[in-house]
Amino acid sequence: DGAADAFLQTFKGAADADRESLLSPLGRIGGPAALAIVDGMIADADPAKRKLGMVAITRWPDATVAPKLLTLLAGSRDAAERDQLLAALIRIAPLPDNKLNDGQKLALLQKTMSLCEKNEDKARVLERANAIRIVETLRFVRPYLDDPQLAEPACKSVVELAHHQKLRDPNKAEFVQALDKVIATTKNPELVERANRYKEGKTWERKKG
């Protein structure tokens, strides 16, 4: 906390030309004091200062800024800015930072998915989803196995979720059904191997290197 306070004082006293190099650590420090500074930059009439504020808020270390990101996204008409905000939401939603419980993380990820227009963004949502290890995540991901554009990232997430025995075993019927679909869908032989092993209740170790 002392280091964060010292950095914030340094940031406040820095010249505009120097602040840009300090934005990444400012965003990663987080907290109300840092957010107040960033909010002021985003609200500034100077487009250059707003742009710097956007860099900072999209590098935030936890999900406390999720409502702010969603509000900014709803009001933005700039394509690059929208991409920046979406990427931040996709990154922070599943973070293991204890700011949100698993249900809240999944709800945020689902909300983010609803805002995605590009398949590449939707694929990133699916790839991040498996960090939320609850059966509801499997139910969220599974329908995308039927989407030719998104099937592969969905397959990967299903298999990654199935990797966790404590999640898989109590929900065996749902996982077997989803893993069967993965086997029939994916073009990745490693995912097929893993899906078959998990169906049989076996373990799998990642290949080193």
Side-chain angles (χ1 to χ4, degrees):
D1 290 341
D5 289 341
F7 181 85
L8 288 171
Q9 292 307 313
T10 299
F11 186 88
K12 289 176 183 177
D16 286 348
D18 298 324
R19 283 188 169 190
E20 186 169 0
S21 65
L22 300 175
L23 281 173
S24 289
L26 177 70
R28 293 188 175 98
I29 284 171
L35 185 58
I37 294 172
V38 172
D39 277 343
M41 296 175 73
I42 292 172
D44 199 289
D46 182 348
K49 288 186 177 179
R50 176 182 171 85
K51 184 176 181 180
L52 293 178
M54 292 294 293
V55 169
I57 201 167
T58 53
R59 294 179 182 175
W60 218 251
D62 56 50
T64 54
V65 293
K68 181 74 175 178
L69 293 173
L70 288 168
T71 299
L72 288 168
L73 185 59
S76 178
R77 296 294 175 266
D78 182 88
E81 191 173 277
R82 288 182 62 82
D83 287 345
Q84 192 178 17
L85 291 163
L86 266 177
L89 284 164
I90 293 168
R91 177 182 63 81
I92 67 171
L95 286 177
D97 56 19
N98 298 318
K99 301 298 182 184
L100 303 175
N101 63 40
D102 285 338
Q104 291 170 323
K105 290 175 185 179
L106 181 57
L108 177 57
L109 204 60
Q110 289 173 309
K111 173 66 175 177
T112 303
M113 178 64 100
S114 73
L115 297 169
C116 292
E117 297 176 356
K118 302 175 185 175
N119 280 330
E120 62 193 76
D121 291 328
K122 293 177 182 179
R124 294 211 315 272
V125 169
L126 294 171
E127 289 165 1
R128 294 285 286 154
N130 65 70
I132 307 170
R133 294 166 190 166
I134 53 177
V135 70
E136 288 80 7
T137 305
L138 175 68
R139 295 167 187 163
F140 162 60
V141 171
R142 192 182 182 284
Y144 293 97
L145 296 172
D146 294 316
D147 185 332
Q149 301 299 317
L150 298 169
E152 283 299 335
C155 285
K156 183 176 180 181
S157 254
V158 167
V159 171
E160 289 291 346
L161 288 167
H163 178 75
H164 302 281
Q165 187 176 6
K166 290 182 179 179
L167 172 59
R168 184 180 74 233
D169 285 357
N171 305 286
K172 185 175 181 179
E174 286 188 70
F175 269 101
V176 166
Q177 186 179 40
L179 290 168
D180 279 339
K181 181 66 176 178
V182 167
I183 293 165
T185 302
T186 185
K187 297 177 176 63
N188 185 326
E190 183 178 279
L191 291 183
V192 172
E193 176 192 349
R194 293 178 66 185
N196 278 311
R197 290 187 68 84
Y198 297 148
K199 277 182 61 183
E200 297 169 7
K202 296 178 181 178
T203 59
W204 180 84
E205 292 187 9
R206 298 182 190 279
K207 296 178 177 65
K208 294 181 180 180

